[in-house]
Amino acid sequence: MGVLVSKDSRVIVQGFTGSEGTFHASQMIEYGTNVVGGVTPGKGGSTHLDKPVFNTVVDAVNATKADVSIIFVPPAFAADAIMEAANAGIKVIVCITEGIPVNDMVKAKEYIKGYDTRLIGPNCPGVITAGEAKVGIMPGFVFKKGKIGIVSKSGTLTYEAADQVAKAGLGITTAIGIGGDPIIGTTTKEAVELLMNDPETEGIIMIGEIGGNLEAIAARWIKENGTKPVVGFIAGETAPAGRTMGHAGAIVGGHDDTAQAKKRIMRECGIHVVDSPAEIGKKMAEVIGVLA
Amino acid sequence: MNLHEYQGKSILTKYGVAIQRGVVVEKVEDAVAAAKKLTEETGTSWYVVKAQIHAGGRGKGLVAETGSNGVVLAKGIDHVEEKVKGILGGHLETAQTNGKGKLVSKVLLAEDVYYPGESEVSEFYMSVLLDREKGRNVIMYSTEGGMDIETVSENTPHLIFKEEIDPKVGIQGFQARKIAFNLGLSGEAFKQMTKFVVNLYSAYEGCDAAMFEINPVLKTSDNKIIAVDAKVTLDGNSLFRHPDYAAMRDFTEEDPTEVEADAAGLNFVKLDGNVACMVNGAGLAMATMDIIKLSGGNPANFLDVGGTANAERVEKAFHIILKDPNVKAILINIFGGIVRCDRVAQGVVDAYKNMGSIPVPIIVRLQGTNAVEAKKLIDESGLNVHSAVLLQEASDKVKAVLA
């Protein structure tokens, strides 16, 4: 079970034959993900990693019935790749690419509104449903199968949380890396909602960072609709205002998007917020009643 | 990427946005000639001398050496040299320069636009920026121009208007008219404002900006609408499309260590604390800064070394971190997923040996693939390096070395 991707997902890789695409596609295949092919314009008809290569996403969908795509296309062409996937009927688009021009994403996000599709990212580590499918760049072995869902803006901090969860005697259903850009396809609230509705998930870890108001919106939604315990952490309490901290979206612009403000809102909405990132796993074990 | 006022105005001009015109002056002795040239072009007889630095609040700011404000008026060509001398080459401190003066190496000598005439002049506020929640650009504007917009938003929020732009069709005529009406304009000024708004938005999209702030937008006494100031921030991710704008980057406005780190492909932000950190991934890097604080220290930097933490990169990162004399300890926090921890550990050991000695204790926390082998490598190196596997252990070790 889990959400978004599973053992039944039929995955294609856009930017399949490039170095990033090749490396991570082979890692995904090794994990057991059902990769059915890839797209590299101009290389259609060939094979790569023993899978067929297509010129366009629509060719790939027609031939393989793919429903999930992962994008490793360079920033200048990535928004175009997202729109191509939506247009071809892909249901879950995972965009790993970092550094896409903001105005390109404004247009791509608007374009895909007209399609029955969900975009994860960009600038994200992808999605993994433990033991079933890895559609991303995360180290698969860290995500032991279990009952906890993770929603996070960050890559390595997600691995950190998953590792702590495993050490606390729990495991992961699905971890969703929503991405660290100012414009992303799936928001914190939407990802949390998916996990709230997943029967296998018993607790949710929500990891945010400074900048924007996605965590506040998610917190208010959880207060009204939450049915499972949520543990939260916001990175960047010590970050100065007005400076971009690595992720393009991680910048304090006002009073409401500091780590302190977000944590306060999350606590008010009943989320179990930890101040130390070392305590995420321990806190989750505590609130769902499993001793570490 | 932030631009100076004169650079921002040059982009606006390209898109037909009317501006307060000016000439850039870099040497005091060029000031009078520049003033004469400006008079020939614009007919102005008064001159506004504006310091060109990347910080707001220049008008109220003070030049440390002379006591001059950062924006001053020269009422006649005879006063130009003296006024320029008061600013150029000095250090300007404003509410936004964090207590440190910024060297003024250029001033903009601009025409006077507040001349009397058939109608009153009025000042407005206008910015274009991304509404992250909606994923769309918005034009934010107000009748309360010339003031700090944060103050307006606190005291009189009903005087701030927003117009959302549909990315499918861009700005439409009715939106420009709505803005001009809301600003209380009529006649020629109304017409000029609609043109101003449409051109301003085209400029924003055309140059792939991340933010435009025009404060004030001025209605002159003869009903022209012009940008008196221009704060322009470009989207760094789009600069590959605009090599001419990328060349406008002023490295002297940035921290020299940050410039060096950037050239080495390291994502580094200088902070004021005493414990440095070196981390893979931006989110974990911010979380590591927070851990430093919880351990009783203060972060000296943000540093994301990315996915390839090899000896060369680690050594470069050490060099950059150690330029700061306040650093009392270094915390290296790597979650090895695809990158193997033992490789990173070897990188740390090699970099340490290449550098001879490092004067502060180092705590290395390596978790993930081959973490055990990595810890052994560090422990057996004989260097002043403390190893940890769990994040909590790393935090405790930072506490111990600071005590």
Side-chain angles (χ1 to χ4, degrees), chain B residues 347-366:
Chain B
V348 172
V349 171
D350 291 349
Y352 199 115
K353 286 183 175 158
N354 281 344
M355 293 180 69
S357 78
I358 291 176
V360 297
I362 299 173
I363 298 108
V364 183
R365 184 271 178 151
L366 291 159

Side-chain angles (χ1 to χ4, degrees), chain B residues 305-343:
Chain B
V305 292
T308 47
N310 56 24
E312 197 187 336
R313 275 173 92 76
V314 172
E315 190 175 336
K316 188 78 205 168
F318 273 139
H319 276 294
I320 283 162
I321 283 171
L322 290 168
K323 285 189 178 205
D324 179 353
N326 295 327
V327 169
K328 299 286 175 276
I330 301 172
L331 171 57
I332 300 177
N333 185 13
I334 303 287
F335 198 103
I338 304 301
V339 46
R340 282 166 36 196
C341 290
D342 53 331
R343 285 227 183 124

